[in-house]
PDB file of all heavy atoms in Angstrom:
ATOM      1  N   GLU A  26      61.013  -7.782 -29.026  1.00  0.00           N
ATOM      2  CA  GLU A  26      61.931  -6.655 -29.189  1.00  0.00           C
ATOM      3  C   GLU A  26      61.376  -5.378 -28.556  1.00  0.00           C
ATOM      4  O   GLU A  26      62.046  -4.724 -27.763  1.00  0.00           O
ATOM      5  CB  GLU A  26      62.215  -6.402 -30.669  1.00  0.00           C
ATOM      6  CG  GLU A  26      63.176  -5.237 -30.873  1.00  0.00           C
ATOM      7  CD  GLU A  26      63.332  -4.856 -32.328  1.00  0.00           C
ATOM      8  OE1 GLU A  26      62.316  -4.635 -33.021  1.00  0.00           O
ATOM      9  OE2 GLU A  26      64.485  -4.767 -32.761  1.00  0.00           O
ATOM     10  N   SER A  27      60.129  -5.039 -28.892  1.00  0.00           N
ATOM     11  CA  SER A  27      59.605  -3.748 -28.449  1.00  0.00           C
ATOM     12  C   SER A  27      59.114  -3.754 -27.008  1.00  0.00           C
ATOM     13  O   SER A  27      59.416  -2.837 -26.255  1.00  0.00           O
ATOM     14  CB  SER A  27      58.487  -3.283 -29.373  1.00  0.00           C
ATOM     15  OG  SER A  27      57.407  -4.186 -29.327  1.00  0.00           O
ATOM     16  N   HIS A  28      58.380  -4.773 -26.616  1.00  0.00           N
ATOM     17  CA  HIS A  28      57.828  -4.773 -25.256  1.00  0.00           C
ATOM     18  C   HIS A  28      58.820  -5.294 -24.225  1.00  0.00           C
ATOM     19  O   HIS A  28      58.995  -4.713 -23.171  1.00  0.00           O
ATOM     20  CB  HIS A  28      56.532  -5.590 -25.203  1.00  0.00           C
ATOM     21  CG  HIS A  28      55.893  -5.559 -23.853  1.00  0.00           C
ATOM     22  ND1 HIS A  28      55.259  -4.441 -23.370  1.00  0.00           N
ATOM     23  CD2 HIS A  28      55.816  -6.494 -22.876  1.00  0.00           C
ATOM     24  CE1 HIS A  28      54.808  -4.693 -22.153  1.00  0.00           C
ATOM     25  NE2 HIS A  28      55.133  -5.935 -21.828  1.00  0.00           N
ATOM     26  N   TYR A  29      59.469  -6.410 -24.552  1.00  0.00           N
ATOM     27  CA  TYR A  29      60.378  -7.027 -23.586  1.00  0.00           C
ATOM     28  C   TYR A  29      61.813  -6.549 -23.736  1.00  0.00           C
ATOM     29  O   TYR A  29      62.669  -6.862 -22.929  1.00  0.00           O
ATOM     30  CB  TYR A  29      60.308  -8.552 -23.697  1.00  0.00           C
ATOM     31  CG  TYR A  29      58.950  -9.064 -23.310  1.00  0.00           C
ATOM     32  CD1 TYR A  29      58.028  -9.460 -24.262  1.00  0.00           C
ATOM     33  CD2 TYR A  29      58.562  -9.123 -21.981  1.00  0.00           C
ATOM     34  CE1 TYR A  29      56.770  -9.917 -23.907  1.00  0.00           C
ATOM     35  CE2 TYR A  29      57.307  -9.572 -21.618  1.00  0.00           C
ATOM     36  CZ  TYR A  29      56.417  -9.970 -22.586  1.00  0.00           C
ATOM     37  OH  TYR A  29      55.171 -10.409 -22.225  1.00  0.00           O
ATOM     38  N   GLN A  30      62.080  -5.799 -24.786  1.00  0.00           N
ATOM     39  CA  GLN A  30      63.380  -5.192 -25.058  1.00  0.00           C
ATOM     40  C   GLN A  30      64.519  -6.212 -25.023  1.00  0.00           C
ATOM     41  O   GLN A  30      65.584  -5.963 -24.486  1.00  0.00           O
ATOM     42  CB  GLN A  30      63.640  -4.041 -24.086  1.00  0.00           C
ATOM     43  CG  GLN A  30      62.601  -2.950 -24.226  1.00  0.00           C
ATOM     44  CD  GLN A  30      62.751  -1.843 -23.217  1.00  0.00           C
ATOM     45  OE1 GLN A  30      63.465  -1.960 -22.235  1.00  0.00           O
ATOM     46  NE2 GLN A  30      62.064  -0.743 -23.461  1.00  0.00           N
ATOM     47  N   LEU A  31      64.262  -7.370 -25.636  1.00  0.00           N
ATOM     48  CA  LEU A  31      65.301  -8.389 -25.735  1.00  0.00           C
ATOM     49  C   LEU A  31      66.181  -8.095 -26.940  1.00  0.00           C
ATOM     50  O   LEU A  31      65.714  -7.586 -27.959  1.00  0.00           O
ATOM     51  CB  LEU A  31      64.684  -9.781 -25.896  1.00  0.00           C
ATOM     52  CG  LEU A  31      63.841 -10.314 -24.735  1.00  0.00           C
ATOM     53  CD1 LEU A  31      63.391 -11.741 -25.030  1.00  0.00           C
ATOM     54  CD2 LEU A  31      64.595 -10.265 -23.420  1.00  0.00           C
ATOM     55  N   SER A  32      67.440  -8.421 -26.803  1.00  0.00           N
ATOM     56  CA  SER A  32      68.372  -8.268 -27.927  1.00  0.00           C
ATOM     57  C   SER A  32      68.113  -9.388 -28.925  1.00  0.00           C
ATOM     58  O   SER A  32      67.431 -10.374 -28.625  1.00  0.00           O
ATOM     59  CB  SER A  32      69.815  -8.347 -27.418  1.00  0.00           C
ATOM     60  OG  SER A  32      70.085  -9.664 -26.959  1.00  0.00           O
ATOM     61  N   ARG A  33      68.697  -9.256 -30.106  1.00  0.00           N
ATOM     62  CA  ARG A  33      68.555 -10.325 -31.112  1.00  0.00           C
ATOM     63  C   ARG A  33      69.149 -11.626 -30.591  1.00  0.00           C
ATOM     64  O   ARG A  33      68.611 -12.704 -30.829  1.00  0.00           O
ATOM     65  CB  ARG A  33      69.218  -9.913 -32.419  1.00  0.00           C
ATOM     66  CG  ARG A  33      68.448  -8.830 -33.134  1.00  0.00           C
ATOM     67  CD  ARG A  33      69.101  -8.449 -34.433  1.00  0.00           C
ATOM     68  NE  ARG A  33      68.376  -7.343 -35.019  1.00  0.00           N
ATOM     69  CZ  ARG A  33      68.897  -6.476 -35.856  1.00  0.00           C
ATOM     70  NH1 ARG A  33      70.145  -6.613 -36.248  1.00  0.00           N
ATOM     71  NH2 ARG A  33      68.181  -5.500 -36.334  1.00  0.00           N
ATOM     72  N   LYS A  34      70.237 -11.527 -29.880  1.00  0.00           N
ATOM     73  CA  LYS A  34      70.880 -12.714 -29.324  1.00  0.00           C
ATOM     74  C   LYS A  34      69.945 -13.391 -28.309  1.00  0.00           C
ATOM     75  O   LYS A  34      69.799 -14.617 -28.325  1.00  0.00           O
ATOM     76  CB  LYS A  34      72.201 -12.334 -28.655  1.00  0.00           C
ATOM     77  CG  LYS A  34      72.962 -13.496 -28.090  1.00  0.00           C
ATOM     78  CD  LYS A  34      74.289 -13.062 -27.507  1.00  0.00           C
ATOM     79  CE  LYS A  34      75.048 -14.273 -26.978  1.00  0.00           C
ATOM     80  NZ  LYS A  34      76.363 -13.900 -26.465  1.00  0.00           N
ATOM     81  N   GLU A  35      69.338 -12.605 -27.437  1.00  0.00           N
ATOM     82  CA  GLU A  35      68.421 -13.166 -26.444  1.00  0.00           C
ATOM     83  C   GLU A  35      67.192 -13.785 -27.113  1.00  0.00           C
ATOM     84  O   GLU A  35      66.715 -14.844 -26.704  1.00  0.00           O
ATOM     85  CB  GLU A  35      67.988 -12.089 -25.444  1.00  0.00           C
ATOM     86  CG  GLU A  35      69.086 -11.663 -24.490  1.00  0.00           C
ATOM     87  CD  GLU A  35      68.692 -10.477 -23.623  1.00  0.00           C
ATOM     88  OE1 GLU A  35      68.049  -9.530 -24.137  1.00  0.00           O
ATOM     89  OE2 GLU A  35      69.029 -10.507 -22.422  1.00  0.00           O
ATOM     90  N   MET A  36      66.679 -13.108 -28.152  1.00  0.00           N
ATOM     91  CA  MET A  36      65.531 -13.664 -28.873  1.00  0.00           C
ATOM     92  C   MET A  36      65.906 -14.989 -29.535  1.00  0.00           C
ATOM     93  O   MET A  36      65.120 -15.937 -29.530  1.00  0.00           O
ATOM     94  CB  MET A  36      65.015 -12.676 -29.921  1.00  0.00           C
ATOM     95  CG  MET A  36      64.223 -11.533 -29.340  1.00  0.00           C
ATOM     96  SD  MET A  36      63.426 -10.533 -30.619  1.00  0.00           S
ATOM     97  CE  MET A  36      64.755  -9.438 -31.063  1.00  0.00           C
ATOM     98  N   ALA A  37      67.102 -15.054 -30.110  1.00  0.00           N
ATOM     99  CA  ALA A  37      67.558 -16.278 -30.763  1.00  0.00           C
ATOM    100  C   ALA A  37      67.636 -17.420 -29.748  1.00  0.00           C
ATOM    101  O   ALA A  37      67.206 -18.542 -30.028  1.00  0.00           O
ATOM    102  CB  ALA A  37      68.913 -16.050 -31.424  1.00  0.00           C
ATOM    103  N   GLN A  38      68.152 -17.121 -28.555  1.00  0.00           N
ATOM    104  CA  GLN A  38      68.212 -18.134 -27.500  1.00  0.00           C
ATOM    105  C   GLN A  38      66.818 -18.565 -27.074  1.00  0.00           C
ATOM    106  O   GLN A  38      66.543 -19.751 -26.933  1.00  0.00           O
ATOM    107  CB  GLN A  38      68.963 -17.593 -26.278  1.00  0.00           C
ATOM    108  CG  GLN A  38      70.446 -17.419 -26.479  1.00  0.00           C
ATOM    109  CD  GLN A  38      71.108 -16.734 -25.297  1.00  0.00           C
ATOM    110  OE1 GLN A  38      70.462 -16.052 -24.503  1.00  0.00           O
ATOM    111  NE2 GLN A  38      72.415 -16.912 -25.175  1.00  0.00           N
ATOM    112  N   LEU A  39      65.941 -17.604 -26.880  1.00  0.00           N
ATOM    113  CA  LEU A  39      64.579 -17.881 -26.425  1.00  0.00           C
ATOM    114  C   LEU A  39      63.808 -18.735 -27.428  1.00  0.00           C
ATOM    115  O   LEU A  39      63.141 -19.695 -27.060  1.00  0.00           O
ATOM    116  CB  LEU A  39      63.833 -16.563 -26.176  1.00  0.00           C
ATOM    117  CG  LEU A  39      62.355 -16.645 -25.833  1.00  0.00           C
ATOM    118  CD1 LEU A  39      62.167 -17.246 -24.446  1.00  0.00           C
ATOM    119  CD2 LEU A  39      61.719 -15.282 -25.885  1.00  0.00           C
ATOM    120  N   LEU A  40      63.919 -18.398 -28.711  1.00  0.00           N
ATOM    121  CA  LEU A  40      63.146 -19.083 -29.745  1.00  0.00           C
ATOM    122  C   LEU A  40      63.869 -20.285 -30.346  1.00  0.00           C
ATOM    123  O   LEU A  40      63.263 -21.044 -31.111  1.00  0.00           O
ATOM    124  CB  LEU A  40      62.773 -18.087 -30.857  1.00  0.00           C
ATOM    125  CG  LEU A  40      61.931 -16.890 -30.409  1.00  0.00           C
ATOM    126  CD1 LEU A  40      61.709 -15.925 -31.568  1.00  0.00           C
ATOM    127  CD2 LEU A  40      60.616 -17.339 -29.827  1.00  0.00           C
ATOM    128  N   GLY A  41      65.145 -20.431 -30.043  1.00  0.00           N
ATOM    129  CA  GLY A  41      65.901 -21.566 -30.558  1.00  0.00           C
ATOM    130  C   GLY A  41      66.186 -21.479 -32.050  1.00  0.00           C
ATOM    131  O   GLY A  41      66.196 -22.490 -32.752  1.00  0.00           O
ATOM    132  N   ILE A  42      66.403 -20.256 -32.531  1.00  0.00           N
ATOM    133  CA  ILE A  42      66.719 -20.048 -33.940  1.00  0.00           C
ATOM    134  C   ILE A  42      67.931 -19.121 -34.027  1.00  0.00           C
ATOM    135  O   ILE A  42      68.344 -18.533 -33.030  1.00  0.00           O
ATOM    136  CB  ILE A  42      65.513 -19.463 -34.726  1.00  0.00           C
ATOM    137  CG1 ILE A  42      65.010 -18.163 -34.092  1.00  0.00           C
ATOM    138  CG2 ILE A  42      64.385 -20.473 -34.818  1.00  0.00           C
ATOM    139  CD1 ILE A  42      63.849 -17.521 -34.811  1.00  0.00           C
ATOM    140  N   SER A  43      68.486 -18.969 -35.220  1.00  0.00           N
ATOM    141  CA  SER A  43      69.695 -18.151 -35.379  1.00  0.00           C
ATOM    142  C   SER A  43      69.379 -16.656 -35.319  1.00  0.00           C
ATOM    143  O   SER A  43      68.238 -16.235 -35.554  1.00  0.00           O
ATOM    144  CB  SER A  43      70.368 -18.467 -36.711  1.00  0.00           C
ATOM    145  OG  SER A  43      69.605 -17.950 -37.784  1.00  0.00           O
ATOM    146  N   GLU A  44      70.411 -15.878 -35.020  1.00  0.00           N
ATOM    147  CA  GLU A  44      70.252 -14.427 -35.001  1.00  0.00           C
ATOM    148  C   GLU A  44      69.897 -13.903 -36.393  1.00  0.00           C
ATOM    149  O   GLU A  44      69.158 -12.920 -36.513  1.00  0.00           O
ATOM    150  CB  GLU A  44      71.529 -13.747 -34.485  1.00  0.00           C
ATOM    151  CG  GLU A  44      71.726 -13.906 -32.999  1.00  0.00           C
ATOM    152  CD  GLU A  44      72.931 -13.134 -32.484  1.00  0.00           C
ATOM    153  OE1 GLU A  44      72.966 -11.889 -32.652  1.00  0.00           O
ATOM    154  OE2 GLU A  44      73.829 -13.777 -31.917  1.00  0.00           O
ATOM    155  N   GLY A  45      70.415 -14.543 -37.433  1.00  0.00           N
ATOM    156  CA  GLY A  45      70.086 -14.149 -38.801  1.00  0.00           C
ATOM    157  C   GLY A  45      68.597 -14.315 -39.082  1.00  0.00           C
ATOM    158  O   GLY A  45      67.983 -13.478 -39.749  1.00  0.00           O
ATOM    159  N   THR A  46      68.017 -15.397 -38.572  1.00  0.00           N
ATOM    160  CA  THR A  46      66.581 -15.627 -38.746  1.00  0.00           C
ATOM    161  C   THR A  46      65.787 -14.564 -37.989  1.00  0.00           C
ATOM    162  O   THR A  46      64.776 -14.065 -38.489  1.00  0.00           O
ATOM    163  CB  THR A  46      66.196 -17.039 -38.267  1.00  0.00           C
ATOM    164  OG1 THR A  46      66.968 -17.990 -39.014  1.00  0.00           O
ATOM    165  CG2 THR A  46      64.723 -17.312 -38.452  1.00  0.00           C
ATOM    166  N   ILE A  47      66.267 -14.201 -36.808  1.00  0.00           N
ATOM    167  CA  ILE A  47      65.614 -13.138 -36.020  1.00  0.00           C
ATOM    168  C   ILE A  47      65.642 -11.841 -36.825  1.00  0.00           C
ATOM    169  O   ILE A  47      64.618 -11.152 -36.962  1.00  0.00           O
ATOM    170  CB  ILE A  47      66.315 -12.935 -34.659  1.00  0.00           C
ATOM    171  CG1 ILE A  47      66.153 -14.165 -33.761  1.00  0.00           C
ATOM    172  CG2 ILE A  47      65.807 -11.670 -33.958  1.00  0.00           C
ATOM    173  CD1 ILE A  47      64.751 -14.454 -33.300  1.00  0.00           C
ATOM    174  N   LYS A  48      66.791 -11.501 -37.363  1.00  0.00           N
ATOM    175  CA  LYS A  48      66.943 -10.265 -38.144  1.00  0.00           C
ATOM    176  C   LYS A  48      65.994 -10.270 -39.340  1.00  0.00           C
ATOM    177  O   LYS A  48      65.321  -9.272 -39.622  1.00  0.00           O
ATOM    178  CB  LYS A  48      68.397 -10.117 -38.600  1.00  0.00           C
ATOM    179  CG  LYS A  48      68.701  -8.820 -39.260  1.00  0.00           C
ATOM    180  CD  LYS A  48      70.190  -8.708 -39.583  1.00  0.00           C
ATOM    181  CE  LYS A  48      70.497  -7.405 -40.280  1.00  0.00           C
ATOM    182  NZ  LYS A  48      71.925  -7.284 -40.594  1.00  0.00           N
ATOM    183  N   SER A  49      65.921 -11.396 -40.033  1.00  0.00           N
ATOM    184  CA  SER A  49      65.049 -11.535 -41.199  1.00  0.00           C
ATOM    185  C   SER A  49      63.575 -11.382 -40.805  1.00  0.00           C
ATOM    186  O   SER A  49      62.805 -10.680 -41.469  1.00  0.00           O
ATOM    187  CB  SER A  49      65.292 -12.890 -41.850  1.00  0.00           C
ATOM    188  OG  SER A  49      64.365 -13.129 -42.868  1.00  0.00           O
ATOM    189  N   ARG A  50      63.169 -12.059 -39.721  1.00  0.00           N
ATOM    190  CA  ARG A  50      61.771 -11.971 -39.274  1.00  0.00           C
ATOM    191  C   ARG A  50      61.413 -10.556 -38.850  1.00  0.00           C
ATOM    192  O   ARG A  50      60.305 -10.083 -39.129  1.00  0.00           O
ATOM    193  CB  ARG A  50      61.514 -12.947 -38.124  1.00  0.00           C
ATOM    194  CG  ARG A  50      61.431 -14.382 -38.596  1.00  0.00           C
ATOM    195  CD  ARG A  50      61.086 -15.311 -37.460  1.00  0.00           C
ATOM    196  NE  ARG A  50      61.084 -16.692 -37.915  1.00  0.00           N
ATOM    197  CZ  ARG A  50      60.839 -17.728 -37.137  1.00  0.00           C
ATOM    198  NH1 ARG A  50      60.568 -17.553 -35.851  1.00  0.00           N
ATOM    199  NH2 ARG A  50      60.858 -18.957 -37.623  1.00  0.00           N
ATOM    200  N   LEU A  51      62.330  -9.881 -38.160  1.00  0.00           N
ATOM    201  CA  LEU A  51      62.068  -8.493 -37.761  1.00  0.00           C
ATOM    202  C   LEU A  51      61.899  -7.604 -38.992  1.00  0.00           C
ATOM    203  O   LEU A  51      60.991  -6.760 -39.036  1.00  0.00           O
ATOM    204  CB  LEU A  51      63.203  -7.961 -36.871  1.00  0.00           C
ATOM    205  CG  LEU A  51      63.185  -8.412 -35.419  1.00  0.00           C
ATOM    206  CD1 LEU A  51      64.493  -8.032 -34.727  1.00  0.00           C
ATOM    207  CD2 LEU A  51      61.996  -7.789 -34.681  1.00  0.00           C
ATOM    208  N   HIS A  52      62.770  -7.786 -39.978  1.00  0.00           N
ATOM    209  CA  HIS A  52      62.674  -6.995 -41.204  1.00  0.00           C
ATOM    210  C   HIS A  52      61.329  -7.216 -41.894  1.00  0.00           C
ATOM    211  O   HIS A  52      60.645  -6.263 -42.287  1.00  0.00           O
ATOM    212  CB  HIS A  52      63.828  -7.345 -42.150  1.00  0.00           C
ATOM    213  CG  HIS A  52      63.738  -6.667 -43.470  1.00  0.00           C
ATOM    214  ND1 HIS A  52      64.035  -5.332 -43.640  1.00  0.00           N
ATOM    215  CD2 HIS A  52      63.351  -7.131 -44.691  1.00  0.00           C
ATOM    216  CE1 HIS A  52      63.829  -4.994 -44.914  1.00  0.00           C
ATOM    217  NE2 HIS A  52      63.425  -6.076 -45.565  1.00  0.00           N
ATOM    218  N   ARG A  53      60.926  -8.477 -42.036  1.00  0.00           N
ATOM    219  CA  ARG A  53      59.656  -8.797 -42.689  1.00  0.00           C
ATOM    220  C   ARG A  53      58.465  -8.310 -41.877  1.00  0.00           C
ATOM    221  O   ARG A  53      57.478  -7.836 -42.450  1.00  0.00           O
ATOM    222  CB  ARG A  53      59.560 -10.298 -42.934  1.00  0.00           C
ATOM    223  CG  ARG A  53      60.526 -10.769 -44.004  1.00  0.00           C
ATOM    224  CD  ARG A  53      60.428 -12.251 -44.241  1.00  0.00           C
ATOM    225  NE  ARG A  53      61.394 -12.645 -45.259  1.00  0.00           N
ATOM    226  CZ  ARG A  53      62.020 -13.788 -45.274  1.00  0.00           C
ATOM    227  NH1 ARG A  53      61.771 -14.705 -44.349  1.00  0.00           N
ATOM    228  NH2 ARG A  53      62.894 -14.062 -46.224  1.00  0.00           N
ATOM    229  N   ALA A  54      58.560  -8.422 -40.555  1.00  0.00           N
ATOM    230  CA  ALA A  54      57.463  -7.951 -39.698  1.00  0.00           C
ATOM    231  C   ALA A  54      57.290  -6.436 -39.836  1.00  0.00           C
ATOM    232  O   ALA A  54      56.171  -5.937 -39.959  1.00  0.00           O
ATOM    233  CB  ALA A  54      57.743  -8.319 -38.245  1.00  0.00           C
ATOM    234  N   ARG A  55      58.397  -5.726 -39.851  1.00  0.00           N
ATOM    235  CA  ARG A  55      58.320  -4.263 -39.990  1.00  0.00           C
ATOM    236  C   ARG A  55      57.774  -3.874 -41.363  1.00  0.00           C
ATOM    237  O   ARG A  55      56.991  -2.927 -41.481  1.00  0.00           O
ATOM    238  CB  ARG A  55      59.701  -3.654 -39.771  1.00  0.00           C
ATOM    239  CG  ARG A  55      60.145  -3.722 -38.331  1.00  0.00           C
ATOM    240  CD  ARG A  55      61.520  -3.107 -38.144  1.00  0.00           C
ATOM    241  NE  ARG A  55      61.988  -3.306 -36.801  1.00  0.00           N
ATOM    242  CZ  ARG A  55      63.173  -3.810 -36.490  1.00  0.00           C
ATOM    243  NH1 ARG A  55      64.040  -4.126 -37.439  1.00  0.00           N
ATOM    244  NH2 ARG A  55      63.524  -3.964 -35.239  1.00  0.00           N
ATOM    245  N   ALA A  56      58.179  -4.602 -42.399  1.00  0.00           N
ATOM    246  CA  ALA A  56      57.685  -4.314 -43.750  1.00  0.00           C
ATOM    247  C   ALA A  56      56.176  -4.539 -43.824  1.00  0.00           C
ATOM    248  O   ALA A  56      55.446  -3.724 -44.405  1.00  0.00           O
ATOM    249  CB  ALA A  56      58.409  -5.190 -44.778  1.00  0.00           C
ATOM    250  N   ARG A  57      55.697  -5.621 -43.224  1.00  0.00           N
ATOM    251  CA  ARG A  57      54.247  -5.881 -43.214  1.00  0.00           C
ATOM    252  C   ARG A  57      53.505  -4.823 -42.416  1.00  0.00           C
ATOM    253  O   ARG A  57      52.421  -4.401 -42.810  1.00  0.00           O
ATOM    254  CB  ARG A  57      53.953  -7.260 -42.634  1.00  0.00           C
ATOM    255  CG  ARG A  57      54.311  -8.360 -43.595  1.00  0.00           C
ATOM    256  CD  ARG A  57      53.300  -9.460 -43.517  1.00  0.00           C
ATOM    257  NE  ARG A  57      53.699 -10.537 -44.394  1.00  0.00           N
ATOM    258  CZ  ARG A  57      53.283 -11.764 -44.272  1.00  0.00           C
ATOM    259  NH1 ARG A  57      52.462 -12.079 -43.308  1.00  0.00           N
ATOM    260  NH2 ARG A  57      53.669 -12.684 -45.113  1.00  0.00           N
ATOM    261  N   MET A  58      54.079  -4.425 -41.294  1.00  0.00           N
ATOM    262  CA  MET A  58      53.449  -3.374 -40.486  1.00  0.00           C
ATOM    263  C   MET A  58      53.357  -2.075 -41.282  1.00  0.00           C
ATOM    264  O   MET A  58      52.341  -1.390 -41.231  1.00  0.00           O
ATOM    265  CB  MET A  58      54.231  -3.153 -39.185  1.00  0.00           C
ATOM    266  CG  MET A  58      53.987  -4.193 -38.132  1.00  0.00           C
ATOM    267  SD  MET A  58      52.276  -4.250 -37.548  1.00  0.00           S
ATOM    268  CE  MET A  58      52.140  -2.647 -36.767  1.00  0.00           C
ATOM    269  N   GLU A  59      54.407  -1.765 -42.008  1.00  0.00           N
ATOM    270  CA  GLU A  59      54.399  -0.547 -42.825  1.00  0.00           C
ATOM    271  C   GLU A  59      53.282  -0.617 -43.861  1.00  0.00           C
ATOM    272  O   GLU A  59      52.550   0.357 -44.067  1.00  0.00           O
ATOM    273  CB  GLU A  59      55.756  -0.363 -43.504  1.00  0.00           C
ATOM    274  CG  GLU A  59      55.879   0.953 -44.237  1.00  0.00           C
ATOM    275  CD  GLU A  59      57.280   1.172 -44.802  1.00  0.00           C
ATOM    276  OE1 GLU A  59      58.223   0.486 -44.397  1.00  0.00           O
ATOM    277  OE2 GLU A  59      57.396   2.061 -45.670  1.00  0.00           O
ATOM    278  N   GLN A  60      53.106  -1.781 -44.490  1.00  0.00           N
ATOM    279  CA  GLN A  60      52.022  -1.955 -45.460  1.00  0.00           C
ATOM    280  C   GLN A  60      50.658  -1.778 -44.794  1.00  0.00           C
ATOM    281  O   GLN A  60      49.786  -1.097 -45.340  1.00  0.00           O
ATOM    282  CB  GLN A  60      52.088  -3.347 -46.096  1.00  0.00           C
ATOM    283  CG  GLN A  60      53.227  -3.544 -47.054  1.00  0.00           C
ATOM    284  CD  GLN A  60      53.295  -4.979 -47.560  1.00  0.00           C
ATOM    285  OE1 GLN A  60      52.971  -5.909 -46.847  1.00  0.00           O
ATOM    286  NE2 GLN A  60      53.737  -5.132 -48.804  1.00  0.00           N
ATOM    287  N   LEU A  61      50.483  -2.393 -43.650  1.00  0.00           N
ATOM    288  CA  LEU A  61      49.198  -2.298 -42.945  1.00  0.00           C
ATOM    289  C   LEU A  61      48.906  -0.861 -42.515  1.00  0.00           C
ATOM    290  O   LEU A  61      47.775  -0.386 -42.638  1.00  0.00           O
ATOM    291  CB  LEU A  61      49.198  -3.231 -41.726  1.00  0.00           C
ATOM    292  CG  LEU A  61      49.127  -4.722 -42.029  1.00  0.00           C
ATOM    293  CD1 LEU A  61      49.416  -5.538 -40.769  1.00  0.00           C
ATOM    294  CD2 LEU A  61      47.786  -5.094 -42.628  1.00  0.00           C
ATOM    295  N   LEU A  62      49.919  -0.181 -42.029  1.00  0.00           N
ATOM    296  CA  LEU A  62      49.729   1.202 -41.582  1.00  0.00           C
ATOM    297  C   LEU A  62      49.412   2.142 -42.746  1.00  0.00           C
ATOM    298  O   LEU A  62      48.712   3.136 -42.569  1.00  0.00           O
ATOM    299  CB  LEU A  62      50.961   1.688 -40.808  1.00  0.00           C
ATOM    300  CG  LEU A  62      51.148   1.034 -39.440  1.00  0.00           C
ATOM    301  CD1 LEU A  62      52.525   1.378 -38.869  1.00  0.00           C
ATOM    302  CD2 LEU A  62      50.054   1.450 -38.482  1.00  0.00           C
ATOM    303  N   LYS A  63      49.927   1.820 -43.920  1.00  0.00           N
ATOM    304  CA  LYS A  63      49.638   2.619 -45.106  1.00  0.00           C
ATOM    305  C   LYS A  63      48.309   2.231 -45.734  1.00  0.00           C
ATOM    306  O   LYS A  63      47.884   2.839 -46.712  1.00  0.00           O
ATOM    307  CB  LYS A  63      50.754   2.474 -46.143  1.00  0.00           C
ATOM    308  CG  LYS A  63      52.045   3.151 -45.738  1.00  0.00           C
ATOM    309  CD  LYS A  63      53.086   2.962 -46.819  1.00  0.00           C
ATOM    310  CE  LYS A  63      54.377   3.685 -46.466  1.00  0.00           C
ATOM    311  NZ  LYS A  63      55.401   3.490 -47.502  1.00  0.00           N
TER     312      LYS A  63
END
């Protein structure tokens, strides 16, 4: 998302998973990053 600037749809195609799973993983990744940064 950040470096390659792919859309959720493109990421879903690339990884072979649903857009909902992409959205969920992004949410969890950001939450973990927030914890680490704090």
Side-chain angles (χ1 to χ4, degrees):
E26 180 187 52
S27 63
H28 183 73
Y29 295 103
Q30 299 176 346
L31 296 184
S32 68
R33 289 181 184 155
K34 182 177 182 177
E35 289 173 319
M36 284 189 276
Q38 289 173 339
L39 174 69
L40 300 176
I42 56 179
S43 72
E44 287 185 59
T46 302
I47 294 294
K48 187 176 179 180
S49 173
R50 286 184 183 179
L51 282 169
H52 175 75
R53 290 180 181 146
R55 289 180 186 129
R57 286 218 183 159
M58 282 297 295
E59 187 175 344
Q60 288 175 327
L61 288 169
L62 290 169
K63 289 180 178 179

